[in-house]
mmCIF file of all heavy atoms in Angstrom:
data_model
loop_
_atom_site.group_PDB
_atom_site.id
_atom_site.type_symbol
_atom_site.label_atom_id
_atom_site.label_comp_id
_atom_site.label_asym_id
_atom_site.label_seq_id
_atom_site.Cartn_x
_atom_site.Cartn_y
_atom_site.Cartn_z
ATOM 1 N N ARG F 25 4.471 -0.535 6.071
ATOM 2 C CA ARG F 25 4.362 0.169 7.360
ATOM 3 C C ARG F 25 5.731 0.406 8.007
ATOM 4 O O ARG F 25 5.840 0.420 9.242
ATOM 5 C CB ARG F 25 3.476 -0.595 8.345
ATOM 6 C CG ARG F 25 2.007 -0.598 7.980
ATOM 7 C CD ARG F 25 1.338 0.709 8.355
ATOM 8 N NE ARG F 25 -0.011 0.765 7.826
ATOM 9 C CZ ARG F 25 -1.110 0.468 8.531
ATOM 10 N NH1 ARG F 25 -1.023 0.102 9.776
ATOM 11 N NH2 ARG F 25 -2.289 0.553 7.968
ATOM 12 N N GLN F 26 6.767 0.595 7.156
ATOM 13 C CA GLN F 26 8.109 0.752 7.728
ATOM 14 C C GLN F 26 8.233 2.016 8.579
ATOM 15 O O GLN F 26 9.076 2.082 9.471
ATOM 16 C CB GLN F 26 9.184 0.706 6.637
ATOM 17 C CG GLN F 26 9.119 1.821 5.602
ATOM 18 C CD GLN F 26 10.011 1.527 4.390
ATOM 19 O OE1 GLN F 26 10.367 0.382 4.117
ATOM 20 N NE2 GLN F 26 10.379 2.555 3.633
ATOM 21 N N ALA F 27 7.412 3.029 8.281
ATOM 22 C CA ALA F 27 7.319 4.183 9.171
ATOM 23 C C ALA F 27 6.144 3.905 10.100
ATOM 24 O O ALA F 27 5.010 3.869 9.659
ATOM 25 C CB ALA F 27 7.063 5.450 8.366
ATOM 26 N N ARG F 29 4.656 2.704 14.416
ATOM 27 C CA ARG F 29 4.724 2.738 15.875
ATOM 28 C C ARG F 29 5.802 1.875 16.496
ATOM 29 O O ARG F 29 6.114 2.029 17.666
ATOM 30 C CB ARG F 29 3.357 2.345 16.453
ATOM 31 C CG ARG F 29 2.315 3.429 16.286
ATOM 32 C CD ARG F 29 0.919 2.870 16.395
ATOM 33 N NE ARG F 29 0.627 2.000 15.258
ATOM 34 C CZ ARG F 29 -0.512 1.364 15.068
ATOM 35 N NH1 ARG F 29 -1.457 1.453 15.961
ATOM 36 N NH2 ARG F 29 -0.691 0.622 13.992
ATOM 37 N N TYR F 34 9.321 7.530 15.495
ATOM 38 C CA TYR F 34 7.990 7.770 14.922
ATOM 39 C C TYR F 34 7.027 8.225 16.014
ATOM 40 O O TYR F 34 6.300 9.206 15.860
ATOM 41 C CB TYR F 34 7.445 6.503 14.232
ATOM 42 C CG TYR F 34 5.973 6.634 13.870
ATOM 43 C CD1 TYR F 34 5.588 7.248 12.686
ATOM 44 C CD2 TYR F 34 4.966 6.181 14.726
ATOM 45 C CE1 TYR F 34 4.238 7.409 12.361
ATOM 46 C CE2 TYR F 34 3.624 6.336 14.416
ATOM 47 C CZ TYR F 34 3.270 6.948 13.227
ATOM 48 O OH TYR F 34 1.947 7.112 12.917
ATOM 49 N N ARG F 38 4.982 11.698 16.054
ATOM 50 C CA ARG F 38 3.522 11.696 16.084
ATOM 51 C C ARG F 38 3.019 12.505 17.282
ATOM 52 O O ARG F 38 2.050 13.264 17.159
ATOM 53 C CB ARG F 38 2.984 10.272 16.137
ATOM 54 C CG ARG F 38 1.474 10.226 15.907
ATOM 55 C CD ARG F 38 0.894 8.846 16.100
ATOM 56 N NE ARG F 38 1.123 8.361 17.450
ATOM 57 C CZ ARG F 38 0.698 7.197 17.910
ATOM 58 N NH1 ARG F 38 0.023 6.381 17.110
ATOM 59 N NH2 ARG F 38 0.953 6.825 19.138
ATOM 60 N N PHE F 44 -2.400 11.084 14.619
ATOM 61 C CA PHE F 44 -2.036 10.474 13.341
ATOM 62 C C PHE F 44 -2.443 11.329 12.132
ATOM 63 O O PHE F 44 -1.646 11.566 11.226
ATOM 64 C CB PHE F 44 -2.647 9.062 13.262
ATOM 65 C CG PHE F 44 -2.505 8.420 11.911
ATOM 66 C CD1 PHE F 44 -1.252 8.091 11.410
ATOM 67 C CD2 PHE F 44 -3.624 8.147 11.141
ATOM 68 C CE1 PHE F 44 -1.116 7.508 10.157
ATOM 69 C CE2 PHE F 44 -3.499 7.553 9.886
ATOM 70 C CZ PHE F 44 -2.244 7.238 9.394
ATOM 71 N N ILE F 71 8.209 4.523 1.231
ATOM 72 C CA ILE F 71 6.802 4.759 0.912
ATOM 73 C C ILE F 71 6.320 6.024 1.618
ATOM 74 O O ILE F 71 6.576 6.226 2.806
ATOM 75 C CB ILE F 71 5.918 3.524 1.232
ATOM 76 C CG1 ILE F 71 4.480 3.748 0.730
ATOM 77 C CG2 ILE F 71 5.949 3.164 2.711
ATOM 78 C CD1 ILE F 71 3.684 2.457 0.539
ATOM 79 N N LEU F 72 5.686 6.877 0.835
ATOM 80 C CA LEU F 72 5.073 8.100 1.334
ATOM 81 C C LEU F 72 4.305 7.823 2.618
ATOM 82 O O LEU F 72 3.563 6.836 2.689
ATOM 83 C CB LEU F 72 4.103 8.609 0.253
ATOM 84 C CG LEU F 72 3.034 9.611 0.678
ATOM 85 C CD1 LEU F 72 3.682 10.955 0.976
ATOM 86 C CD2 LEU F 72 1.982 9.749 -0.424
ATOM 87 N N ALA F 74 1.220 8.453 4.596
ATOM 88 C CA ALA F 74 -0.146 8.962 4.426
ATOM 89 C C ALA F 74 -1.073 7.807 4.785
ATOM 90 O O ALA F 74 -0.649 6.894 5.497
ATOM 91 C CB ALA F 74 -0.369 9.434 2.999
ATOM 92 N N ASP F 75 -2.304 7.806 4.303
ATOM 93 C CA ASP F 75 -3.194 6.676 4.572
ATOM 94 C C ASP F 75 -4.176 6.507 3.416
ATOM 95 O O ASP F 75 -4.525 7.490 2.748
ATOM 96 C CB ASP F 75 -3.957 6.869 5.883
ATOM 97 C CG ASP F 75 -4.523 5.545 6.381
ATOM 98 O OD1 ASP F 75 -3.783 4.795 7.042
ATOM 99 O OD2 ASP F 75 -5.688 5.241 6.065
ATOM 100 N N PHE F 142 1.179 5.855 -3.118
ATOM 101 C CA PHE F 142 0.200 4.769 -2.985
ATOM 102 C C PHE F 142 -1.215 5.298 -2.832
ATOM 103 O O PHE F 142 -1.445 6.477 -2.558
ATOM 104 C CB PHE F 142 0.534 3.864 -1.784
ATOM 105 C CG PHE F 142 0.195 4.485 -0.450
ATOM 106 C CD1 PHE F 142 -1.039 4.249 0.154
ATOM 107 C CD2 PHE F 142 1.106 5.306 0.191
ATOM 108 C CE1 PHE F 142 -1.355 4.818 1.389
ATOM 109 C CE2 PHE F 142 0.800 5.885 1.424
ATOM 110 C CZ PHE F 142 -0.428 5.634 2.018
ATOM 111 N N TYR F 152 -14.445 0.470 3.817
ATOM 112 C CA TYR F 152 -14.366 1.391 4.972
ATOM 113 C C TYR F 152 -15.421 2.479 4.872
ATOM 114 O O TYR F 152 -16.017 2.881 5.877
ATOM 115 C CB TYR F 152 -12.967 2.016 5.069
ATOM 116 C CG TYR F 152 -11.910 1.040 5.530
ATOM 117 C CD1 TYR F 152 -11.112 0.348 4.625
ATOM 118 C CD2 TYR F 152 -11.719 0.782 6.889
ATOM 119 C CE1 TYR F 152 -10.148 -0.559 5.043
ATOM 120 C CE2 TYR F 152 -10.760 -0.129 7.328
ATOM 121 C CZ TYR F 152 -9.978 -0.791 6.394
ATOM 122 O OH TYR F 152 -9.042 -1.699 6.825
ATOM 123 N N SER F 207 -6.449 -4.491 0.332
ATOM 124 C CA SER F 207 -6.265 -5.331 1.518
ATOM 125 C C SER F 207 -7.392 -6.340 1.712
ATOM 126 O O SER F 207 -7.189 -7.390 2.301
ATOM 127 C CB SER F 207 -6.165 -4.440 2.763
ATOM 128 O OG SER F 207 -5.125 -3.507 2.579
ATOM 129 N N HIS F 323 2.467 -8.485 4.982
ATOM 130 C CA HIS F 323 1.538 -7.431 5.438
ATOM 131 C C HIS F 323 2.384 -6.486 6.290
ATOM 132 O O HIS F 323 3.602 -6.648 6.371
ATOM 133 C CB HIS F 323 0.362 -8.044 6.206
ATOM 134 C CG HIS F 323 -0.871 -7.170 6.205
ATOM 135 N ND1 HIS F 323 -1.965 -7.414 6.990
ATOM 136 C CD2 HIS F 323 -1.166 -6.036 5.520
ATOM 137 C CE1 HIS F 323 -2.888 -6.485 6.775
ATOM 138 N NE2 HIS F 323 -2.429 -5.637 5.884
HETATM 139 O O1 CP3 J 1 4.986 3.186 6.193
HETATM 140 C C1 CP3 J 1 4.003 3.003 5.445
HETATM 141 O O2 CP3 J 1 3.616 1.876 5.099
HETATM 142 C C2 CP3 J 1 3.305 4.220 4.846
HETATM 143 C C3 CP3 J 1 2.086 4.672 5.386
HETATM 144 C C4 CP3 J 1 0.811 3.834 5.414
HETATM 145 C C5 CP3 J 1 -0.083 3.874 6.518
HETATM 146 N N1 CP3 J 1 -1.214 3.186 6.177
HETATM 147 C C6 CP3 J 1 0.170 4.596 7.768
HETATM 148 C C7 CP3 J 1 -0.616 4.243 8.968
HETATM 149 C C8 CP3 J 1 0.222 3.021 4.442
HETATM 150 C C9 CP3 J 1 0.772 2.588 3.094
HETATM 151 C C10 CP3 J 1 -1.066 2.646 4.934
HETATM 152 C C11 CP3 J 1 -2.029 1.825 4.164
HETATM 153 C C12 CP3 J 1 -3.305 1.425 4.787
HETATM 154 N N2 CP3 J 1 -4.061 2.147 5.676
HETATM 155 C C13 CP3 J 1 -4.007 0.243 4.469
HETATM 156 C C14 CP3 J 1 -3.579 -0.803 3.448
HETATM 157 C C15 CP3 J 1 -2.534 -1.716 3.949
HETATM 158 C C16 CP3 J 1 -3.000 -2.675 5.005
HETATM 159 O O3 CP3 J 1 -2.562 -2.479 6.166
HETATM 160 O O4 CP3 J 1 -3.768 -3.600 4.703
HETATM 161 C C17 CP3 J 1 -5.185 0.219 5.245
HETATM 162 C C18 CP3 J 1 -6.233 -0.872 5.256
HETATM 163 C C19 CP3 J 1 -5.214 1.432 5.991
HETATM 164 C C20 CP3 J 1 -6.280 1.912 6.910
HETATM 165 C C21 CP3 J 1 -5.797 2.034 8.296
HETATM 166 N N3 CP3 J 1 -4.928 3.012 8.725
HETATM 167 C C22 CP3 J 1 -6.127 1.212 9.394
HETATM 168 C C23 CP3 J 1 -7.065 0.019 9.346
HETATM 169 C C24 CP3 J 1 -5.427 1.717 10.492
HETATM 170 C C25 CP3 J 1 -5.542 1.237 11.916
HETATM 171 C C26 CP3 J 1 -4.830 -0.040 12.135
HETATM 172 C C27 CP3 J 1 -3.387 0.200 12.459
HETATM 173 O O5 CP3 J 1 -2.517 -0.454 11.886
HETATM 174 O O6 CP3 J 1 -3.175 1.060 13.329
HETATM 175 C C28 CP3 J 1 -4.640 2.814 10.049
HETATM 176 C C29 CP3 J 1 -3.732 3.634 10.856
HETATM 177 C C30 CP3 J 1 -2.332 3.836 10.347
HETATM 178 N N4 CP3 J 1 -1.971 4.054 9.053
HETATM 179 C C31 CP3 J 1 -1.151 3.894 11.161
HETATM 180 C C32 CP3 J 1 -0.078 4.148 10.290
HETATM 181 C C33 CP3 J 1 1.358 4.349 10.658
HETATM 182 C C34 CP3 J 1 -1.113 3.783 12.667
HETATM 183 C C35 CP3 J 1 -1.653 5.041 13.230
HETATM 184 C C36 CP3 J 1 -0.923 5.561 14.419
HETATM 185 O O7 CP3 J 1 0.262 5.936 14.316
HETATM 186 O O8 CP3 J 1 -1.553 5.644 15.468
#
Side-chain angles (χ1 to χ4, degrees):
R25 290 281 172 98
Q26 63 193 21
R29 287 160 292 180
Y34 169 85
R38 191 186 60 178
F44 172 65
I71 187 159
L72 162 71
D75 198 84
F142 75 93
Y152 288 95
S207 304
H323 204 190

